[in-house]
């Protein structure tokens, strides 16, 4: 049971000669392609792209905040109108009660 792992792998695995196309493609990727051909390009991030992305994010954030504050204002306005309706109703009830009391007396 004390078989060396290298001996075990050496007996199980046999070397394979890679295809020339595979080697050539791998060499082009790792070392660089032939002159005049561009196979892989490293993406370049420009400051203009970053500025545009930041501007879009800031615009979305400020628009969201404007919508939220607008909704809050509408809710506050509706609540204030509801309170005014309630106060008017109470004033009306109070003004009606004394007049009915005087007529009943």
């Amino acid at each position: 049971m004390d078989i060396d792992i290298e001996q075990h792998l050496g007996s199980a695995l046999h070397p394979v000669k890679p295809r020339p196309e595979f080697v050539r493609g791998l060499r082009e990727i790792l070392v660089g392609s032939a002159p005049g051909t561009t196979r892989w390009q490293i993406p370049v991030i420009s400051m203009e792209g970053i500025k545009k992305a930041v501007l879009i994010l800031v615009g979305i954030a400020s628009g969201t905040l404007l919508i939220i504050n607008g909704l809050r204002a509408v809710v506050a306005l509706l609540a204030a109108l509801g309170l005014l309706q309630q106060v008017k109703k109470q004033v009306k009830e109070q003004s009606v009660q004394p007049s009915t009391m005087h007529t009943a007396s």
Side-chain angles (χ1 to χ4, degrees):
M1 291 297 267
D2 287 338
I3 300 174
D4 188 28
I5 193 156
E6 289 178 14
Q7 290 175 349
H8 184 64
L9 287 174
S11 65
L13 301 174
H14 302 287
V16 177
K17 185 171 180 168
R19 296 184 326 264
E21 309 87 51
F22 174 75
V23 173
R24 185 174 50 252
L26 186 61
R27 185 171 287 131
E28 284 179 8
I29 291 171
L30 295 175
V31 177
S33 58
T37 61
T38 54
R39 185 171 180 147
W40 296 94
Q41 283 186 331
I42 298 173
V44 178
I45 300 173
S46 67
M47 285 304 289
E48 290 298 318
I50 292 173
K51 287 179 183 178
K52 189 182 286 186
V54 168
L55 185 63
I56 289 171
L57 289 174
V58 168
I60 290 171
S62 63
T64 304
L65 288 174
L66 280 172
I67 290 171
I68 290 172
N69 282 331
L71 290 173
R72 288 180 61 204
V74 168
V75 168
L77 183 63
L78 291 175
L81 288 174
L83 284 175
L84 284 175
Q85 293 282 338
Q86 204 171 28
V87 167
K88 283 182 183 179
K89 186 178 179 182
Q90 286 176 354
V91 167
K92 195 177 209 181
E93 287 174 358
Q94 287 176 357
S95 66
V96 170
Q97 285 178 355
S99 64
T100 56
M101 290 181 146
H102 291 292
T103 56
S105 310

